[in-house]
Amino acid sequence: FLFFALIIDLLSPFIISLVVLSLQPLTVAWRWFVIEKAKAKRRSLKDLMVIGITGSYGKTSVKEFLATILSEKFRVAKTTEHQNSEIGIARAILNLKETDQVFICEMAAYNKGRIKFVAGISQPQIGIISGVNQQHLSLFGSMENLLSAEGGNELLTALPIDGQAILNNDSSLLLANAKTWPVHPALLWCSAKEKTDLWAENIRAEKDRLCFNVLSRDNDSAEFDVKLVGQSNVENVLLAAAVAKRLGMTLAEIALAAEKIRPEQGSMKLSRGNGGPASAKATADKADVIDSTYSDNPDGVL
């Protein structure tokens, strides 16, 4: 008995591997079935506005901010949490309703060609590149591959001729990469540092909120007061505001809608401490803890 038990124990990795491999064709077939079904569903939704978001960082925050703002005027659907792979996006499309007017699609990729593939499923008319850095360089293998996907090359190529690309002017790698684009749709640059197509001025980062003015080249302007921690979130709000403005909202309307953005929708959160150990003086100040553990990229840390 012990001999047979030992044999089974030694062979178990091979047995499990054979079972997994035998199921692989079914998994692949199911995956392609879901994707093709999602493509057909997307083609049938001819009046749907799809906004694709990619980049090395900031994608989820921009998606959440934009959904909150656009929900004031449109019926909005979005990919949930980290539902940003091709199968996750396909499932999100299959869950769309005929009444949905806008679909915000977060796109992630860790190899060249993946954003192009995902864009083929979702067919975005507006593309957002939130920012580019070396966060996923080890996964892509080279900067060329990273810039192709997270740098916006593939997303911009997938946009229609009359499409719109919204870009973060404060990302130096994105700025450099944009100079290599021979053909592209209309570009709109946003900045929290200098005057571009849409920019922020008089930025005041308080403990639990951001206050700043947003201005645009068409002389529209508004004062924003959002309950977010971290000045870097100004870039994300600007990208969301640029899309909302492209869809017909004024900056005043956008600023009012942005007041509904919740702190937990940003990547950085502020937690209140309990004042330290019991032996501390009763009048001791309570500690504020900035939780930025969601950010695992160089720009997020800085």
Side-chain angles (χ1 to χ4, degrees):
F1 176 80
L2 290 175
F3 174 76
F4 286 111
L6 179 61
I7 294 297
I8 292 173
D9 188 50
L10 291 172
L11 292 177
S12 60
F14 301 100
I15 295 171
I16 293 170
S17 297
L18 285 173
V19 172
V20 172
L21 287 172
S22 66
L23 294 174
Q24 190 68 13
L26 292 175
T27 303
V28 172
W30 171 80
R31 175 178 175 273
W32 280 105
F33 171 76
V34 172
I35 289 173
E36 291 302 316
K37 191 175 179 181
K39 285 181 179 180
K41 172 90 177 269
R42 171 65 185 97
R43 287 193 296 269
S44 70
L45 300 172
K46 300 186 184 300
D47 296 327
L48 181 70
M49 172 60 67
V50 178
I51 302 158
I53 307 174
T54 193
S56 302
Y57 58 89
K59 297 185 294 294
T60 303
S61 295
V62 174
K63 177 193 69 178
E64 293 297 327
F65 300 168
L66 181 58
T68 298
I69 292 169
L70 291 182
S71 293
E72 292 297 294
K73 191 171 183 178
F74 304 96
R75 289 185 291 273
V76 178
K78 63 179 179 177
T79 50
T80 59
E81 296 180 352
H82 301 292
Q83 191 183 39
N84 51 25
S85 66
E86 59 266 29
I87 194 66
I89 290 169
R91 285 174 169 175
I93 291 172
L94 291 175
N95 288 329
L96 290 173
K97 301 180 179 66
E98 294 289 339
T99 55
D100 289 328
Q101 296 173 299
V102 178
F103 175 50
I104 307 172
C105 180
E106 180 182 345
M107 303 175 175
Y110 301 122
N111 53 64
K112 187 177 181 179
R114 191 58 58 183
I115 295 297
K116 179 181 178 181
F117 182 75
V118 170
I121 302 172
S122 58
Q123 300 173 33
Q125 298 100 318
I126 297 177
I128 304 174
I129 297 91
S130 55
V132 185
N133 63 19
Q134 303 88 344
Q135 177 181 190
H136 302 126
L137 182 57
S138 61
L139 297 172
F140 281 99
S142 71
M143 279 303 298
E144 179 185 358
N145 292 342
L146 185 149
L147 290 173
S148 175
E150 292 185 341
N153 300 14
E154 296 172 23
L155 179 55
L156 264 67
T157 302
L159 295 177
I161 296 175
D162 60 347
Q164 176 81 64
I166 311 293
L167 311 168
N168 183 359
N169 191 82
D170 299 335
S171 170
S172 57
L173 271 176
L174 178 56
L175 269 174
N177 190 44
K179 296 176 181 177
T180 68
W181 295 334
V183 180
H184 52 70
L187 304 182
L188 192 153
W189 293 92
C190 302
S191 176
K193 298 177 181 177
E194 56 185 271
K195 294 181 180 180
T196 52
D197 298 307
L198 188 76
W199 70 96
E201 292 182 352
N202 303 320
I203 300 171
R204 304 183 304 281
E206 299 179 9
K207 180 180 286 188
D208 57 357
R209 67 197 319 106
L210 293 168
C211 303
F212 51 96
N213 297 328
V214 177
L215 304 92
S216 65
R217 289 203 183 278
D218 62 358
N219 296 319
D220 192 9
S221 64
E223 185 172 343
F224 280 62
D225 185 339
V226 291
K227 300 178 184 69
L228 292 169
V229 179
Q231 187 167 319
S232 58
N233 268 315
V234 174
E235 298 176 16
N236 299 327
V237 173
L238 284 172
L239 293 168
V243 175
K245 189 168 171 58
R246 172 72 164 74
L247 296 183
M249 296 179 70
T250 66
L251 285 177
E253 291 175 326
I254 297 167
L256 191 62
E259 292 180 5
K260 296 185 178 180
I261 293 174
R262 304 183 308 278
E264 59 269 21
Q265 289 180 287
S267 61
M268 193 179 297
K269 299 173 180 64
L270 183 67
S271 300
R272 307 293 185 184
N274 59 11
S279 59
K281 292 188 300 181
T283 57
D285 292 335
K286 293 185 177 181
D288 293 320
V289 180
I290 299 173
D291 180 359
S292 188
T293 50
Y294 182 87
S295 299
D296 59 350
N297 73 86
D299 293 287
V301 172
L302 292 173

